[in-house]
Amino acid sequence: MLCPHCSKSISVAAITEQRGKGLGAQFQCPHCAAWLGRSPWLQRLKMLGFYAALACGIYAYVYQEARHAMIPAAIFALILLLVCHLMDHLHTVEAPIKDEAPDPGPKYR
């Protein structure tokens, strides 16, 4: 994984801080201390697309008279799954606070 805040590679074994549970879980980048997460709505839509495609495929296999309706529905569900998968990226939930040095003032007086 790449951190969207510092653009450094993150190993899953290096992650020590985590908060939240389920689809809204967030973790802290070990390099820059930014909290990262994914969109819970896109993850829900992705799961909905997967299970809808699976259910439509099984239903079309078992009941041959419903194939003309279930195959397009399964294709639509797969398209929903793939689009949500492409849009679901890590994003910075909370950026670390930067310690700024005080302004020394004008150089030339």
Side-chain angles (χ1 to χ4, degrees):
M1 290 186 287
L2 285 177
C3 176
H5 188 260
C6 67
S7 299
K8 292 184 180 176
S9 180
I10 301 171
S11 171
V12 176
I15 297 173
T16 57
E17 297 294 322
Q18 184 177 350
R19 64 182 180 191
K21 291 183 180 179
L23 299 177
Q26 301 169 358
F27 64 92
Q28 193 172 27
C29 174
H31 303 291
C32 66
W35 286 95
L36 309 172
R38 295 187 186 272
S39 173
W41 284 103
L42 285 174
Q43 290 184 349
R44 284 186 185 106
L45 282 175
K46 192 188 316 185
M47 288 182 3
L48 175 73
F50 173 76
Y51 288 117
L54 183 67
C56 289
I58 291 173
Y59 194 80
Y61 181 75
V62 173
Y63 300 104
Q64 283 83 20
E65 63 273 2
R67 280 191 180 169
H68 65 280
M70 287 297 123
I71 290 176
I75 291 171
F76 177 74
L78 283 174
I79 290 172
L80 176 69
L81 167 71
L82 292 174
V83 168
C84 289
H85 181 69
L86 290 175
M87 292 175 56
D88 192 22
H89 296 287
L90 280 175
H91 63 275
T92 305
V93 176
E94 184 179 325
I97 300 171
K98 295 181 181 178
D99 293 332
E100 295 183 14
D103 186 25
K107 285 185 169 181
Y108 304 102
R109 291 191 184 197

